Amino acid sequence: MKRVVFLDYIRILACLMVIVVHASENFYGVLGVGSMAGPQSLLASEADRLWVSIYDGVSRMAVPLFVMVSAYLLVPLAEGVTMRAFYKRRAERVLVPFACFMVLYSVLPLLWGATDAATAVMDLKRLPLNFPSLAAHFWFMYPLIGLYLFMPIISPWLKTASRREEQFVILLFLISTCMPYLNHFFGEVWGQCFWNEYHLLWNFSGYIGYLVLAHYIRFHIDWDSKRRLVVGGALTLVAAIVTILTFYVQATPGVNHSTPVLELGWTFCTINCVAMTVGAFLMLSAIRSVKTPKWVAEMSKMSFGIYLIHIFWIGMWVTLFKDQMAMPSVAAIPAITIATFICSYLTTKLISFIPHSRWIIG
């Protein structure tokens, strides 16, 4: 497949934003595991409230951007590619490295005292069921793998669907992304009750909507670069402001908050996150270079490994910049992000020199 240049830039941006999210969580998480936010949140100051809202809020497009990159490249399946062949290729590129790092996150933290033997054993026993206790960022791998499982099934429809048909599915998806707000303000709606979570639009909700959106942008939007920049920029700006404010207006410093409530507008399948993601994707798709710069291609190639490994590094930089140096959040969050990204990239690059390293870092 010919390299799609703008997707390389998106991978790097999304990778950086994932680290920004995890760096920011250290400024409001109370009961977090490692560097992850827990079920309760507490902001120490007005400055933390502002900068966490901005840095973390804007970065909530990271996960959807990763989904859209995969969908843009992989659906519909190329002619002649069977379901079996597709699954085999995804398992080699994604599932094996994921399994490798699941084991590493269970046992390596023993070396620096971040976990104990009992927890490590429990994590290893639970690996078939869920991610290790110090690898909460691996939650994303499960919906991603689920999308891979579904791609061969939806591909035949995408090959024959008209523009209007895809627009209809996208509309239903967009309505479903309003559900978190409907539930917050009005309670259970459209068939929801304590014994039924499968509401009216459940089958059109979740990350499958991003998959269809990526396909629609690829095959049905033929805008020039200027229009992509203008429309995408406006969409991103408005949606980013809304996303920032959903956190900021709730996050009173010195008050314990329920994290799911505080992060309501930061859920990846909310209408504002969808708009922000699509806007950014459109803007970056305006890049018309025919060849990816070498350094961009190199970082893009390492992006999955950076994602897998970055939690091993982030704690050290949080300790230095936030705890020891007491840097304010406006500077600490970018400093933690950049240092973690560089260390993760260099570590991934070193691993890449090992023979058959694709089984480790993808």
Side-chain angles (χ1 to χ4, degrees), residues 21-29 34-37 314-315 318 322 336:
V21 169
H22 294 152
S24 300
E25 286 183 358
N26 287 276
F27 289 86
Y28 68 95
S35 57
M36 301 294 163
I314 197 169
V318 169
K322 177 178 181 284
I336 294 165

Side-chain angles (χ1 to χ4, degrees), residues 211-289:
L211 186 154
V212 179
L213 273 168
H215 181 272
Y216 185 84
I217 290 172
R218 180 181 176 186
F219 290 98
H220 297 299
I221 291 185
D222 56 0
W223 300 346
D224 60 21
S225 294
K226 182 178 179 181
R227 190 175 182 186
R228 288 171 185 258
L229 284 170
V230 171
V231 175
L235 198 58
T236 303
L237 178 62
V238 173
I241 292 171
V242 172
T243 305
I244 290 166
L245 288 176
T246 59
F247 186 94
Y248 183 82
V249 297
Q250 300 184 84
T252 305
V255 175
N256 273 310
H257 297 276
S258 167
T259 302
V261 174
L262 191 60
E263 294 185 349
L264 176 68
W266 288 1
T267 308
F268 302 113
C269 293
T270 50
I271 186 70
N272 49 287
C273 278
V274 174
M276 188 166 59
T277 302
V278 171
F281 197 90
L282 283 172
M283 279 197 298
L284 288 163
S285 72
I287 297 172
R288 298 301 192 187
S289 304

Side-chain angles (χ1 to χ4, degrees), residues 97-227:
F98 172 48
C100 175
F101 270 87
M102 290 269 275
V103 174
L104 291 176
Y105 274 103
S106 298
V107 298
L108 275 189
L110 286 168
L111 298 179
W112 54 86
T115 190
D116 54 43
T119 303
V121 170
M122 182 60 66
D123 282 345
L124 289 170
K125 287 180 178 179
R126 284 184 51 81
L127 287 189
L129 301 176
N130 217 336
F131 51 78
S133 54
L134 293 181
H137 64 305
F138 280 172
W139 71 267
F140 169 63
M141 295 303 301
Y142 297 90
L144 180 65
I145 292 167
L147 279 176
Y148 288 151
L149 291 172
F150 198 68
M151 283 178 180
I153 298 168
I154 199 173
S155 284
W157 176 75
L158 288 171
K159 286 179 180 179
T160 60
S162 68
R163 177 192 293 261
R164 288 290 187 185
E165 289 169 339
E166 285 195 49
Q167 286 174 349
F168 177 66
V169 171
I170 290 169
L171 175 62
L172 295 178
F173 164 64
L174 292 177
I175 296 172
S176 79
T177 62
C178 299
M179 289 292 291
Y181 298 112
L182 291 173
N183 291 152
H184 181 72
F185 292 108
F186 302 107
E188 296 166 336
V189 298
W190 298 342
Q192 291 174 315
C193 48
F194 76 86
W195 66 86
N196 178 53
E197 63 183 290
Y198 304 104
H199 55 80
L200 173 68
L201 295 178
W202 188 88
N203 293 298
F204 295 91
S205 63
Y207 296 100
I208 192 71
Y210 284 110
L211 186 154
V212 179
L213 273 168
H215 181 272
Y216 185 84
I217 290 172
R218 180 181 176 186
F219 290 98
H220 297 299
I221 291 185
D222 56 0
W223 300 346
D224 60 21
S225 294
K226 182 178 179 181
R227 190 175 182 186

